[in-house]
Amino acid sequence: MAETTGRETGWVWVWIQDPGKNDQIVGQHYEQDDISFIPTFSDKDAAQKCYHKLAKDETSKYEAQAIHYHELVKEASKNDFLIFMLNEEGEILKKIDPKK
């Protein structure tokens, strides 16, 4: 299976914190390497299977939502986040620097 970045279909899946209220794309931070990234998935099923591996605020609600790849790149770049394409196990398939 070829690596999917969202460029092929135009859409990827991310987690949204507080959907319908104060929608915010969920980001993660590796403190050890000081890297901020947005966990991104090629399909909803992979996003849902990886949900339990994400660091999150347990008082908030979360929803997997599709986002257009170019919109995600714009948001990640604006907020100094990398984009990590992950599989359902949370393994990194591809690291994308939206500023390049």
Side-chain angles (χ1 to χ4, degrees):
M1 186 166 140
E3 282 185 19
T4 302
T5 62
R7 294 178 197 169
E8 296 83 4
T9 64
W11 296 92
V12 292
W13 288 83
V14 296
W15 282 97
I16 302 295
Q17 183 176 353
D18 294 328
K21 294 179 184 174
N22 187 21
D23 296 10
Q24 184 174 337
I25 297 172
V26 172
Q28 301 286 280
H29 185 77
Y30 282 143
E31 287 190 33
Q32 181 177 347
D33 298 324
D34 195 27
I35 295 172
S36 294
F37 68 96
I38 297 171
T40 306
F41 305 88
S42 61
D43 59 68
K44 186 175 185 176
D45 187 52
Q48 290 177 322
K49 287 181 179 175
C50 192
Y51 176 76
H52 69 282
K53 295 186 179 218
L54 301 176
K56 51 199 166 299
D57 175 1
E58 296 300 329
T59 63
S60 295
K61 291 189 178 188
Y62 295 87
E63 180 178 284
Q65 293 185 5
I67 185 171
H68 196 273
Y69 178 76
H70 296 294
E71 184 67 26
L72 177 62
V73 167
K74 184 170 72 174
E75 289 298 313
S77 179
K78 179 171 67 174
N79 294 296
D80 294 322
F81 277 75
L82 297 174
I83 298 168
F84 284 8
M85 292 299 301
L86 305 178
N87 66 14
E88 62 190 37
E89 300 297 323
E91 298 167 332
I92 299 169
L93 302 174
K94 186 167 186 141
K95 295 179 182 181
I96 302 164
D97 184 343
K99 293 185 177 183
K100 291 186 179 181

